Amino acid sequence: MTRHDVPTVVTVHRDASGRDAAGELAPGTFLAPRPLLPAADGLHIALVGTTAGLLAGDDLRIRITVGPGSRLHVVEPAGLVAYDHRGGTSAWRAEVEVAEGGELTWESRPFVVSSGATVTRAMDVTLAPGARMLWRDTLVLGRSGERGGRMRATTRAVHDGRELLVEDLDLTDPDVRELPGILGPHRVVGAVTALGADPGGPPHPSRMDLAGPGAQVRLLDTHAPPVERELTGIWESWRAAYDADRTTATAPGAVP
């Protein structure tokens, strides 16, 4: 029997009063979108787990659409664990579309790939002119005492019709990924990625500017807490820069 996992769908738009409103909040097989307290800086949504996963055969899918001029903030209260698949495979796929002048911030929690798991993860982002996205993610290869499973993570971001970031992070072979110059002894890979706008902020030795407006800071370590602490500082700095830029752009007399 073929299994069909249901995607989680989040759609946000500006209503007639100029407020950010949810057009669709549809729970999927694994995650349910839950509105948080109202805020002046946009709509805040939590992606809450509703079932155990990832297990062999699971296909977790997320679709997020941000309408023109809308702001959406997505948080994940808990991390995700891919358990031993016992020879099987699983997948995590996200499709993001942000319309002109829209903004998405997505603060995810660690994605743990247990020994015995084989996972593909794909993030596909389409940004219109003037749209932007800020994304935080952390991959952890193995639970405590484990070497970790197999992971292949791809990211493709298109801004104003042009490729901004195309990345294929192949961590499927432990013997290869542990070589010097790749991951070495590190099993934690964390990043904050700004797409569609320069986040500014102080210089960072691990910062990479993208092929257009945007940047990424990626960190490696043997344990998650040091990575998470440093990423938090970068995330808060870059998000503050986004907020300041939005405030300046909408101030009376500002030139759009």
Side-chain angles (χ1 to χ4, degrees):
M1 180 181 295
T2 302
R3 172 175 164 178
H4 298 283
D5 290 331
V6 177
T8 300
V9 179
V10 177
T11 302
V12 178
H13 65 275
R14 280 285 176 94
D15 65 16
S17 66
R19 295 179 301 179
D20 296 298
E24 182 177 7
L25 298 178
T29 303
F30 304 96
L31 299 171
R34 298 287 188 245
L36 300 177
L37 292 174
D41 65 343
L43 189 65
H44 291 247
I45 298 291
L47 295 181
V48 179
T50 56
T51 188
L54 294 169
L55 304 176
D58 287 349
D59 183 12
L60 192 159
R61 289 176 290 155
I62 304 169
R63 296 175 187 164
I64 297 178
T65 304
V66 181
S70 294
R71 299 183 76 186
L72 172 63
H73 306 288
V74 174
V75 297
E76 297 178 26
L80 180 67
V81 179
Y83 297 95
D84 188 342
H85 291 354
R86 304 184 184 279
T89 62
S90 68
W92 182 102
R93 295 180 286 168
E95 298 176 8
V96 173
E97 184 173 350
V98 185
E100 185 171 357
E103 179 179 308
L104 169 65
T105 65
W106 187 341
E107 188 174 10
S108 63
R109 291 292 180 258
F111 191 138
V112 181
V113 184
S114 303
S115 291
T118 300
V119 186
T120 58
R121 189 192 75 170
M123 170 69 83
D124 194 346
V125 179
T126 302
L127 302 173
R132 57 190 183 181
M133 175 177 172
L134 190 61
W135 180 37
R136 171 178 176 171
D137 73 298
T138 301
L139 300 177
V140 181
L141 297 169
R143 293 177 289 181
S144 179
E146 292 184 342
R147 192 180 188 188
R150 300 173 180 271
M151 159 69 80
R152 186 162 191 169
T154 60
T155 302
R156 182 175 184 266
V158 175
H159 176 256
D160 194 11
R162 297 183 178 181
E163 290 182 336
L164 181 63
L165 174 64
V166 178
E167 180 179 79
D168 187 344
L169 190 61
D170 188 344
L171 303 175
T172 53
D173 188 334
D175 291 332
V176 172
R177 74 190 185 209
E178 292 172 3
L179 290 172
I182 303 181
L183 294 187
H186 302 125
R187 65 183 189 90
V188 180
V189 183
V192 175
T193 306
L195 301 168
D198 185 341
H204 192 285
S206 298
R207 172 171 169 150
M208 175 186 71
D209 290 323
L210 305 183
Q216 181 183 77
V217 170
R218 170 164 288 149
L219 305 175
L220 305 177
D221 209 312
T222 55
H223 297 90
V227 170
E228 292 296 279
R229 282 195 298 269
E230 189 166 355
L231 288 182
T232 295
I234 297 166
W235 171 266
E236 292 176 350
S237 173
W238 286 12
R239 181 162 175 184
Y242 269 28
D243 290 342
D245 183 62
R246 171 68 70 119
T247 300
T248 300
T250 57
V255 178

